[in-house]
């Protein structure tokens, strides 16, 4: 008798950024096919920026996504500065990293408490949790508001930050603002630690255990962080950021507006757990203590460990921002900006966005952008994510379809995807 295959479809994955679905085709003999259907409309940001003056292009790129706008702005500005041969002063770089950390704190807090936690507590969404879990929702909003305020003060607004310019900042906040920021970060640290302890108690599903290749930015100065000039893989390979296309290949798949990516011909993962897999030795402070006490849960073989890794990073980046502010205050007053001579050149910046490695490659000719290539964390992750959804489906295809749908969505949410960022289709 011919085997009958039936689709199990999730038209819209809940509690992620952007619009995408899952299609799982199953039959009596198992799973035939799994597709992550990324139906977020394509956005031609690279093509739009071609021919634009550099400063105009740098105002366009953050519009790729409001959720990740600081990451896009800061990475694009560094790529442009590299292209023209400019290096910002240490205190400017420190303040930019504090701004980036604001994005990290806001994003991680929202993802963990409002997008992930409802699954484990049996709720369809965070609004239904308020009555019973008022403390957790309060912590989520406190951390979110802190990160948003940090971006507002340093970036001029919480989304699409325009205050970051080539050479530095348009203006800097008063010293008292940085002192207040340091005070608020210290007050937030116990909330970050509570978040980590909470997420150590949540299940990491064994169904998706397996070998994963992790890629992360190798941090400058051998201190766990956001910026770096090399990419590091868990197979022991390291290569300059400028060589990313020699090792990572993007390709089109028919069921998605977002491209997939392979590293040396195979899927791979980026994100908080990938940063820890590659760079845990550069942690310090309370985060290092927590990592050493719980590293058996922060394992490289399970994508659900990404949730706990983000919780650990809330602790780390809160402490890191305090230290960076101290470094800047020791040099106060700080000149906000240096003049930048716009010359022809090519630059690549690789940074660690909340969701993983973000790549910007820009070529500048006659003061205008003549080439642009952007690869976002979700575009890197989609092939690996699809593979993990299939692994989950192969273990549960005989279960109640609603149970399978929930588990498939939980796999996707563990990656914290940003689908708006992923569909940056361009023809150059």
């Amino acid at each position: 008798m011919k085997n009958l295959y039936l689709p199990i479809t999730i038209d819209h994955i809940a509690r992620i950024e952007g619009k995408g679905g899952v299609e799982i085709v199953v039959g009596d003999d198992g799973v035939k096919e799994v597709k992550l259907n990324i139906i977020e409309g394509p956005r031609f940001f690279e093509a739009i920026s071609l021919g634009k003056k550099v400063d105009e292009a740098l105002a366009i790129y953050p519009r790729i996504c409001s959720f990740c706008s600081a990451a896009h702005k800061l990475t694009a500005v560094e790529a442009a500065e590299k292209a023209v041969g400019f290096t910002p002063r240490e205190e400017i770089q420190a303040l930019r990293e504090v701004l980036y950390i604001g994005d990290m704190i806001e994003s991680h807090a929202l993802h963990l408490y409002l997008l992930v936690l409802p699954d484990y507590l049996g709720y369809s969404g965070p609004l239904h949790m308020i009555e019973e879990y008022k403390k957790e929702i309060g912590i989520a909003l406190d951390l979110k508001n802190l990160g948003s305020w940090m971006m507002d003060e340093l970036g001029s607004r919480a989304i699409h930050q325009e205050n970051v310019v080539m050479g530095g900042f348009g203006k800097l906040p008063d010293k008292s603002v940085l002192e207040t920021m340091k005070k608020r970060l210290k007050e937030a640290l116990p909330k970050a630690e509570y978040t980590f302890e909470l997420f150590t108690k949540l299940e990491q599903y064994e169904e998706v255990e397996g070998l994963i290749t992790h890629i992360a930015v190798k941090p400058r100065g051998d201190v766990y962080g956001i910026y770096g000039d090399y990419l590091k893989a868990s197979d022991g390979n390291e290569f300059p950021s400028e060589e990313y296309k020699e090792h990572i290949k993007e390709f089109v798949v028919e069921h998605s507006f977002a491209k997939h990516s392979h590293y040396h011909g195979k899927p791979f993962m980026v994100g908080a757990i990938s940063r820890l897999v590659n760079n845990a030795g550069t942690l310090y402070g309370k985060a290092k203590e927590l990592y050493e006490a719980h590293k058996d849960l922060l394992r490289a073989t399970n994508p659900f460990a990404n949730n706990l890794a983000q919780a650990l990073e809330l602790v780390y980046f809160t402490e890191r921002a305090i230290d960076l502010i101290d470094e800047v205050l020791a040099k106060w007053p700080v000149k906000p900006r240096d003049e930048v001579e716009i010359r022809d050149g090519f630059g690549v910046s690789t940074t660690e966005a909340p969701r993983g490695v973000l790549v910007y490659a820009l070529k500048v000719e006659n003061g205008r952008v003549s080439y642009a290539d952007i690869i976002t964390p979700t575009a890197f992750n989609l092939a690996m994510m699809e593979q993990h959804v299939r692994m989950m489906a192969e273990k549960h295809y005989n279960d109640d379809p609603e149970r399978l749908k929930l588990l498939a969505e939980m796999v996707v949410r563990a990656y914290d995807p940003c689908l708006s960022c992923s569909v940056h289709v361009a023809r150059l």
Side-chain angles (χ1 to χ4, degrees):
M1 182 176 178
K2 186 176 181 180
N3 190 33
L4 178 64
Y5 289 99
L6 298 173
I8 297 173
T9 304
I10 304 168
D11 291 324
H12 179 73
I13 304 169
R15 285 179 276 122
I16 62 169
E17 198 290 327
K19 185 169 178 58
V22 178
E23 183 178 358
I24 303 169
V25 181
V26 301
D28 294 335
D29 59 348
V31 177
K32 180 183 179 183
E33 190 174 43
V34 172
K35 293 180 180 178
L36 290 180
N37 298 318
I38 309 305
I39 50 182
E40 187 82 23
R43 304 175 181 192
F44 300 91
F45 277 90
E46 290 131 318
I48 290 169
S49 70
L50 298 183
K52 296 285 194 299
K53 292 181 180 179
V54 178
D55 58 345
E56 293 175 353
L58 295 177
I60 291 172
Y61 297 132
R63 271 72 182 176
I64 288 174
C65 178
S66 62
F67 212 10
C68 313
S69 58
H72 283 283
K73 181 72 171 187
L74 291 160
T75 310
V77 167
E78 183 179 73
E81 288 175 341
K82 284 186 172 184
V84 302
F86 177 84
T87 302
R89 283 174 281 118
E90 289 183 1
E91 56 268 33
I92 293 299
Q93 185 60 43
L95 285 169
R96 286 180 177 177
E97 190 162 352
V98 173
L99 170 56
Y100 213 137
I101 287 172
D103 191 4
M104 195 78 73
I105 291 172
E106 178 187 57
S107 181
H108 283 2
L110 289 176
H111 174 241
L112 293 173
Y113 279 104
L114 305 189
L115 308 186
V116 170
L117 194 56
D119 289 327
Y120 287 93
L121 300 179
Y123 292 92
S124 60
L127 292 179
H128 302 288
M129 295 167 47
I130 292 175
E131 185 173 342
E132 190 171 352
Y133 292 95
K134 188 175 293 185
K135 175 181 178 179
E136 285 73 18
I137 295 297
I139 289 174
L141 295 179
D142 287 346
L143 292 173
K144 181 269 176 197
N145 289 336
L146 171 60
S148 180
W149 175 74
M150 291 168 66
M151 290 188 285
D152 195 14
E153 291 294 339
L154 287 168
S156 75
R157 49 190 177 189
I159 62 171
H160 309 323
Q161 296 81 8
E162 291 299 326
N163 192 39
V164 181
V165 295
M166 292 181 70
F169 291 85
K171 63 177 183 178
L172 290 177
D174 293 337
K175 182 180 181 181
S176 62
V177 173
L178 293 178
E179 291 170 339
T180 300
M181 192 176 294
K182 177 181 172 181
K183 178 175 180 290
R184 289 186 63 177
L185 285 160
K186 286 184 175 180
E187 292 170 350
L189 192 55
K191 298 173 185 178
E193 292 178 26
Y194 175 85
T195 304
F196 180 78
E197 294 299 334
L198 172 63
F199 274 78
T200 61
K201 301 177 176 70
L202 303 187
E203 182 179 359
Q204 297 180 23
Y205 290 85
E206 294 182 357
E207 294 94 321
V208 290
E209 285 279 349
L211 181 65
I212 304 172
T213 298
H214 294 272
I215 294 180
V217 171
K218 182 180 180 181
R220 293 174 189 154
D222 205 30
V223 176
Y224 195 97
I226 290 166
Y227 287 90
D229 302 304
Y230 288 81
L231 292 174
K232 185 177 180 182
S234 56
D235 63 3
N237 191 25
E238 291 182 15
F239 51 92
S241 299
E242 290 79 9
E243 297 177 5
Y244 72 97
K245 282 195 169 184
E246 297 177 22
H247 300 270
I248 298 170
K249 304 297 182 185
E250 284 189 293
F251 57 94
V252 175
V253 293
E254 63 179 10
H255 57 277
S256 172
F257 279 122
K259 297 176 183 177
H260 283 201
S261 302
H262 278 174
Y263 164 74
H264 296 171
K266 296 181 179 180
F268 64 98
M269 185 173 182
V270 300
I273 187 61
S274 301
R275 291 189 280 267
L276 285 177
V277 168
N278 284 290
N279 299 319
T282 61
L283 290 168
Y284 67 85
K286 184 65 176 180
K288 182 178 181 180
E289 294 176 21
L290 293 173
Y291 173 79
E292 293 296 336
H294 297 281
K295 59 185 175 183
D296 59 315
L297 298 176
L298 292 159
R299 51 191 187 272
T301 53
N302 194 311
F304 283 96
N306 194 54
N307 294 325
L308 185 58
Q310 284 194 358
L312 182 70
E313 286 193 337
L314 279 175
V315 177
Y316 175 79
F317 282 118
T318 300
E319 287 190 304
R320 179 65 179 154
I322 293 169
D323 292 344
L324 288 167
I325 291 170
D326 280 339
E327 291 177 17
V328 173
L329 290 176
K331 298 180 179 180
W332 201 265
V334 172
K335 181 182 176 184
R337 183 183 184 185
D338 294 310
E339 290 299 317
V340 178
E341 181 183 353
I342 304 299
R343 298 178 290 186
D344 291 355
F346 175 74
V348 176
S349 175
T350 51
T351 68
E352 284 290 349
R355 290 155 186 80
V357 178
L358 175 62
V359 175
Y360 266 74
L362 300 176
K363 186 175 183 180
V364 177
E365 293 181 295
N366 300 317
R368 297 178 182 271
V369 173
S370 61
Y371 172 87
D373 186 38
I374 304 166
I375 310 182
T376 65
T378 300
F380 283 140
N381 274 332
L382 280 172
M384 192 80 247
M385 195 187 309
E386 196 169 81
Q387 181 173 304
H388 279 130
V389 172
R390 184 181 186 109
M391 291 170 69
M392 185 65 82
E394 287 174 345
K395 297 291 186 180
H396 292 277
Y397 72 92
N398 280 323
D399 292 2
D400 178 349
E402 294 305 312
R403 171 65 175 165
L404 174 54
K405 288 181 182 180
L406 173 61
L407 291 171
E409 287 195 56
M410 288 179 69
V411 172
V412 174
R413 280 192 280 272
Y415 278 84
D416 192 13
C418 181
L419 303 186
S420 295
C421 288
S422 71
V423 292
H424 67 284
V425 181
R427 289 183 179 178
L428 302 178

